[in-house]
Amino acid sequence: AAGVIQSPRHLIKEKRETATLKCYPIPRHDTVYWYQQGPGQDPQFLISFYEKMQSDKGSIPDRFSAQQFSDYHSELNMSSLELGDSALYFCASSLERAGGDEKLFFGSGTQLSVL
Amino acid sequence: AQKVTQAQTEISVVEKEDVTLDCVYETRDTTYYLFWYKQPPSGELVFLIRRNSFDEQNEISGRYSWNFQKSTSSFNFTITASQVVDSAVYFCALSEAYGSSNTGKLIFGQGTTLQVKP
């Protein structure tokens, strides 16, 4: 079965650079969530989108922005990168509309290293 | 505020032993959802189970079983006859309800690293 696809798997950037992470949800899933997992930490919710509209916001820095496109894929844009942004970034998807399966399935993550 | 506590940071067992991972949660909501995820060394988060607060029936899936005790706010996870492939970090998580289901905004515990030795 198709899963959540994230690209790239690994990304190395320098301080003050920008990065764009992509997420392709499971087909027919309408909701996307972004999480950040620092080294040895638990995942922290950043932001979510339902039907291309932002649905909830967590501890996402102002330097980060995200959007969901008409094909339901989502992109997380990160600017002015800092060393502390080095983390594993997960995308998850679910089907929220009535009658859907709301289980949350995660992608394999993008490992971002800021040097 | 919602909170999930996994007091066991690391557990080490020998293959074929049974092991229980503890999870205690805090929430003011009357309706909520609890999850367990497995994170193997490869890094992905693998969904194991979702349980809503109204369903206190224990669940068994192969070697895995879950014990939900609402009275003690606990949702413990037991692996029977552990195997080396069970070695991973296990996360317990909580989400609030949204309508008749959960939101995907999960509050994770700190995770328990399970090492199963041959």
Side-chain angles (χ1 to χ4, degrees):
Chain A
V4 179
I5 307 296
Q6 289 187 247
S7 67
R9 285 299 307 275
H10 302 276
L11 188 59
I12 299 175
K13 291 285 184 179
E14 296 198 352
K15 284 193 327 184
R16 293 180 287 277
E17 285 191 324
T18 62
T20 297
L21 310 185
K22 296 186 179 182
C23 169
Y24 297 86
I26 291 172
R28 294 185 294 111
H29 278 194
D30 52 15
T31 307
V32 167
Y33 303 83
W34 285 98
Y35 283 79
Q36 177 191 58
Q37 185 180 24
Q41 304 294 314
D42 54 285
Q44 296 289 319
F45 171 74
L46 292 178
I47 195 166
S48 62
F49 292 86
Y50 168 67
E51 284 290 347
K52 293 151 280 186
M53 298 288 290
Q54 181 181 309
S55 54
D56 207 344
K57 197 171 180 180
S59 50
I60 183 170
D62 292 339
R63 299 178 290 107
F64 294 6
S65 65
Q67 57 181 322
Q68 185 180 31
F69 295 86
S70 57
D71 63 352
Y72 293 101
H73 94 272
S74 178
E75 294 182 4
L76 177 66
N77 299 293
M78 310 159 72
S79 62
S80 302
L81 286 169
E82 301 173 357
L83 296 178
D85 296 329
S86 295
L88 186 56
Y89 290 84
F90 284 106
C91 171
S93 76
S94 67
L95 181 61
E96 302 284 339
R97 69 175 69 98
D101 178 359
E102 302 85 356
K103 294 192 194 74
L104 197 63
F105 293 94
F106 285 82
S108 298
T110 293
Q111 181 65 57
L112 172 66
S113 298
V114 181
L115 306 179
Chain B
Q2 296 182 320
K3 185 179 178 182
V4 176
T5 301
Q6 294 178 255
Q8 303 150 310
T9 306
E10 291 184 25
I11 300 176
S12 182
V13 299
V14 177
E15 213 171 14
K16 296 182 185 175
E17 284 186 12
D18 298 347
V19 58
T20 294
L21 310 182
D22 297 334
C23 173
V24 175
Y25 61 91
E26 296 174 31
T27 181
R28 292 180 181 174
D29 297 335
T30 54
T31 306
Y32 50 88
Y33 288 78
L34 297 163
F35 300 77
W36 275 95
Y37 283 88
K38 174 183 179 180
Q39 187 173 40
S42 50
E44 71 271 24
L45 283 168
V46 179
F47 170 85
L48 295 178
I49 191 172
R50 179 188 68 172
R51 174 57 52 85
N52 75 51
S53 53
F54 293 111
D55 183 3
E56 290 194 65
Q57 217 171 12
N58 291 331
E59 182 159 339
I60 298 174
S61 176
R63 296 184 297 107
Y64 295 170
S65 63
W66 291 270
N67 184 350
F68 178 28
Q69 297 276 347
K70 207 167 178 178
S71 59
T72 56
S73 297
S74 66
F75 187 43
N76 297 337
F77 173 34
T78 298
I79 301 175
T80 303
S82 59
Q83 300 176 0
V84 173
V85 294
D86 295 329
S87 297
V89 181
Y90 289 86
F91 288 99
C92 179
L94 168 70
S95 84
E96 60 189 21
Y98 180 75
S100 61
S101 183
N102 56 275
T103 75
K105 183 180 174 183
L106 303 183
I107 306 297
F108 284 86
Q110 303 92 322
T112 296
T113 300
L114 174 64
Q115 184 181 33
V116 181
K117 299 178 181 177

